[in-house]
Amino acid sequence: MKHVIYVTVGDVSVYESQILELLDYLQNNDVKVTLVQGYKSDEERKSLEKKLANHTPVQTVWVKGFPVYPFNKKKMIESLHQGIASIEGYHEAVYHVRNEYVGYGVKCVFQKYGLSLPMLIDIRGVIYEELKYKQNQLKGKRKLLSFLQCSYLKSCYRKLFSMDNMRIAFTSVSPMINEYVSTNYPSCKYPMCVHPNIVGRQFIYDEERRREIRQRYGIADNEVLAVCSTGGNAVWQKDHLVVKRLVEMGVRVINLSKKDIGVEGCITTTVPFAEMPAMLSAADVAVLWRDDTFMNNSASPSKFSEFAAMGLYVIHNKTVKVAVEHILNTGAGCLVDEVEEIKGLPSYEELQSQRQQWCEAGLSAFGVDSLGDSYIRKYDEIMN
């Protein structure tokens, strides 16, 4: 049986949808999985344990995680090594490491201890570019620390992407990230592939749950309902800019966020992750609206994968290339540059008539069955 050691550090809003759904799939397909999970505080560990309890039990090795600073490098390497070395058969496994900084840490472990082990480093977003983007919102000491992190990351990237004849492959969420690596680190000759953010098996359109949610919020059966989902409330998410426009057009809107944007006629609420499939079944239209930056252009938002798998018509401002390509290929949405360009939406009948076709296209592109199989094939390639 193939043994995958999955290494990740920290808690993120997509922990269940992106990490645990994949680990569930692997274990249900005859892959032995060990999770090396880093945490920075007891509170974070408790949050992670709560999420893990909702999924297929997985052997978990807990290790201490540290913020991204040069003075933490030695502690990070030793922590990762202790966790990895405690796993029975660790020298016969294939490693799947989430994000390039943790990948750099595991690569340092392998080099320091003379290990030649197969490793897939999964780049979910270029951390360096994210930090540069956020610097505009920072001041004083926090801004100086951000500059220190950026400088340190640049050094890590040079070493990570240098060709060391190790058994490494990289995967990212979009071709743009692979192009970024090739352009900025031309000496990197390791194989690269693409795996966009996955959507779990629970995201299946359900007519019964659709009726339940619509009755709960007073939405008529033949009324077009739009949904905005900004659970992470990241500064680059701008979905709220579209809500007022949709309400003015007579479209009912549910804003899934902890922050009430103050638009009369918009329902603001939050739902647990387990209820998202029902909420998206109830909707007909979704919004994906982001700043036009490299970070967004090269992203693969989890919520877009969910929108696509649930057959929603997505209003998008052309800032996420993965979303643009899917909408162009399937017709499941509209592409505009400005909010004012949103003039109208397909009728309720038109949206429903194409929903099943759009669901199938979304699952083919982003479903865990499709992408999970692709990951397994990639593990085999690296091992061989």
Side-chain angles (χ1 to χ4, degrees), residues 65-203:
F66 301 93
V68 183
Y69 292 110
F71 44 79
N72 285 329
K73 177 182 174 181
K74 184 176 180 180
K75 290 184 287 187
M76 173 188 70
I77 293 172
E78 287 308 304
S79 179
L80 289 171
H81 176 248
Q82 288 175 13
I84 290 169
S86 71
I87 301 169
E88 184 178 356
Y90 75 91
H91 56 289
E92 298 173 341
V94 59
Y95 289 75
H96 185 156
V97 186
R98 182 181 172 88
N99 97 32
E100 67 274 28
Y101 180 64
V102 182
Y104 167 70
V106 177
K107 183 179 181 181
C108 289
V109 170
F110 288 179
Q111 290 175 322
K112 180 175 180 179
Y113 293 94
L115 301 173
S116 178
L117 303 174
M119 174 167 56
L120 179 65
I121 299 176
D122 210 333
I123 306 175
R124 312 313 294 174
V126 181
I127 301 172
Y128 172 76
E129 295 295 335
E130 291 183 17
L131 286 173
K132 281 204 309 182
Y133 179 88
K134 292 177 181 178
Q135 279 176 357
N136 295 328
Q137 283 80 42
L138 301 176
K139 295 181 180 179
K141 181 180 178 181
R142 293 182 65 189
K143 192 160 190 171
L144 289 174
L145 288 173
S146 179
F147 279 119
L148 176 60
Q149 286 181 309
C150 282
S151 176
Y152 174 50
L153 277 172
K154 288 291 281 186
S155 172
C156 295
Y157 282 13
R158 284 193 294 271
K159 296 172 184 175
L160 173 65
F161 295 120
S162 63
M163 193 67 180
D164 302 292
N165 297 316
M166 298 182 72
R167 298 169 68 187
I168 292 176
F170 290 92
T171 181
S172 71
V173 294
S174 76
M176 280 193 71
I177 291 180
N178 292 353
E179 293 166 9
Y180 173 93
V181 173
S182 297
T183 300
N184 290 279
Y185 304 94
S187 64
C188 180
K189 304 301 180 184
Y190 289 114
M192 303 196 73
C193 59
V194 174
H195 290 89
N197 275 0
I198 64 172
V199 58
R201 286 181 168 179
Q202 70 272 48
F203 281 88

Side-chain angles (χ1 to χ4, degrees), residues 16 204 223 250 264 269 289 380:
E16 288 188 84
I204 299 295
E223 193 172 11
E264 187 175 352
T269 187
W289 204 270
D380 289 336

Side-chain angles (χ1 to χ4, degrees), residues 224-239:
V224 173
L225 173 64
V227 64
C228 291
S229 177
T230 54
N233 287 317
V235 294
W236 52 81
Q237 298 190 70
K238 305 293 183 182
D239 295 357

Side-chain angles (χ1 to χ4, degrees), residues 204-215:
I204 299 295
Y205 177 69
D206 188 321
E207 280 284 351
E208 183 176 345
R209 297 306 306 277
R210 175 182 174 86
R211 287 191 292 271
E212 289 176 10
I213 297 295
R214 282 179 165 249
Q215 289 174 4

